[in-house]
Amino acid sequence: MVFQKISHNRTADAVIDQIEQLILQGVVRPGDRLPSERELAKKVDVSRPILREAIKTLEERGLIVTRHGEGTFVADVIGTVFSDAIIELIRRHPPAIADYMEYRREMESIAAGYAAVRATEADKEIITRIFDAMQEAHEKEDFAREAELDVEFHQAIGESAHNIVLLHTLRSCYRLLNDGVFYNRMQLYRYPGSRDRLLTQHSEIYRAVMRGDRQGAQAAVIAHIDYVENVIRDVMRNGLWQEVSSLRLQQRLATTREDPKRRRAQRKATEEITTS
């Protein structure tokens, strides 16, 4: 974790400003553990009483939390875009997925465009490491890892846009994706032919960002989100078809079991009519 020595004005305010900037710029993330008091004081080169004062202020501002016996952590500064009540409504009403995908298409294409022209060498190394890991997971047919890296890849592109509002908005957006609020990502990776297509699309986004092709990066993201949306729609439609077909089969089996009884009853009724 990157903390820098404070060369001048070794006050609590200087420590607060440095940690706030690290949170704001997305260098440290919610849940990241800060170094111990002794270690952090040494890293930023301030006395421990000054550091304690800074930590207290950051806690009061809701930016960090201290857990007894565990340490000090970056607080959940992102939160969720929607309340729990709205999230449950979305779960019960899948058409909201279309709006979510439309939102991702616009925001991610903008982020990818900025990333193509703003990504530093360090950004490119981060994206490359994630993409290489994605390829490795693909070769091992590790669906869960590949789906996990999918989100990390898009998040790294968003971070490379170097726009604070985009950064935190997209992080919140991806949290909903990780929580499976809109759709199950594993279904996406199990869809026939989808894994290869997704890897190719991620490769196109990756290469466009690496070569600084703003329009190419935006176009690659749009094509990717369009494909994901179509697959999700197809998965949901097929799921509905499967449900209806299953109900039909159950009904037919039940009817088949009842047919012998029905035929016996019909024969008996016919015999009674004949004899009378």
Side-chain angles (χ1 to χ4, degrees):
M1 196 174 293
V2 181
F3 292 92
Q4 298 179 350
K5 287 187 177 182
I6 298 171
S7 57
H8 303 287
N9 188 29
R10 292 186 179 88
T11 64
D13 286 341
V15 178
I16 291 167
D17 182 66
Q18 181 176 155
I19 296 177
E20 284 187 337
Q21 285 296 324
L22 290 174
I23 294 173
L24 187 62
Q25 297 292 343
V27 177
V28 294
R29 302 182 179 190
D32 281 351
R33 188 178 186 276
L34 270 60
S36 66
E37 181 182 290
R38 181 188 298 275
E39 185 181 355
L40 185 54
K42 184 177 180 180
K43 283 180 179 293
V44 298
D45 195 21
V46 298
S47 67
R48 292 174 73 176
I50 286 177
L51 179 63
R52 289 191 200 107
E53 183 183 347
I55 294 296
K56 181 181 178 182
T57 300
L58 290 166
E59 283 184 302
E60 290 171 351
R61 293 179 182 178
L63 295 173
I64 63 173
V65 292
T66 300
R67 301 171 191 155
H68 183 67
E70 296 182 36
T72 303
F73 300 82
V74 178
D76 185 5
V77 293
I78 297 176
T80 58
V81 176
F82 305 117
S83 67
D84 290 341
I86 290 294
I87 288 175
E88 286 308 311
L89 275 177
I90 290 170
R91 289 186 195 275
R92 293 196 298 271
H93 298 277
I97 293 173
D99 291 340
Y100 175 71
M101 298 308 296
E102 182 177 71
Y103 174 82
R104 280 192 63 190
R105 183 185 297 107
E106 297 303 317
M107 293 300 101
E108 289 190 29
S109 63
I110 292 171
Y114 282 141
V117 296
R118 295 178 179 177
T120 65
E121 289 306 312
D123 289 326
K124 291 180 179 179
E125 182 176 348
I126 291 170
I127 297 170
T128 298
R129 286 174 179 269
I130 295 171
F131 183 69
D132 288 347
M134 187 184 296
Q135 288 183 304
E136 183 179 350
H138 183 83
E139 292 170 2
K140 292 181 178 178
E141 296 188 356
D142 187 342
F143 290 19
R145 179 59 176 156
E146 199 169 0
E148 178 185 334
L149 287 165
D150 184 328
V151 177
E152 285 191 31
F153 176 80
H154 287 287
Q155 186 160 288
I157 296 292
E159 290 170 352
S160 300
H162 291 283
N163 180 297
I164 291 171
V165 175
L166 265 177
L167 167 69
H168 292 286
T169 302
L170 287 172
R171 278 190 178 178
S172 187
C173 174
Y174 297 140
R175 173 171 296 183
L176 294 173
L177 189 60
N178 267 325
D179 293 344
V181 172
F182 289 95
Y183 61 89
N184 185 333
R185 285 178 298 125
M186 290 303 293
Q187 289 181 337
L188 182 64
Y189 274 86
R190 289 194 175 102
Y191 187 82
S194 182
R195 290 179 62 246
D196 290 339
R197 287 286 298 277
L198 290 170
L199 184 64
T200 298
Q201 290 165 4
H202 287 132
S203 176
E204 289 170 354
I205 296 169
Y206 168 75
R207 285 187 282 108
V209 170
M210 291 299 111
R211 67 175 180 265
D213 182 356
R214 184 172 190 168
Q215 291 184 340
Q218 291 177 321
V221 166
I222 290 170
H224 169 60
I225 298 299
D226 284 345
Y227 174 74
V228 171
E229 186 173 21
N230 288 332
V231 170
I232 292 168
R233 187 183 300 117
D234 199 33
V235 167
M236 292 180 63
R237 182 178 58 183
N238 285 336
L240 178 60
W241 287 350
Q242 292 286 351
E243 182 180 349
V244 171
S245 298
S246 179
L247 290 173
R248 286 175 182 160
L249 178 59
Q250 291 176 35
Q251 178 63 20
R252 180 168 289 274
L253 291 174
T255 302
T256 302
R257 286 192 295 268
E258 292 176 358
D259 276 350
K261 297 179 181 178
R262 187 177 302 161
R263 285 195 293 270
R264 284 196 298 271
Q266 288 174 344
R267 282 198 302 269
K268 184 177 180 180
T270 301
E271 290 170 358
E272 290 175 352
I273 293 173
T274 303
T275 55
S276 63

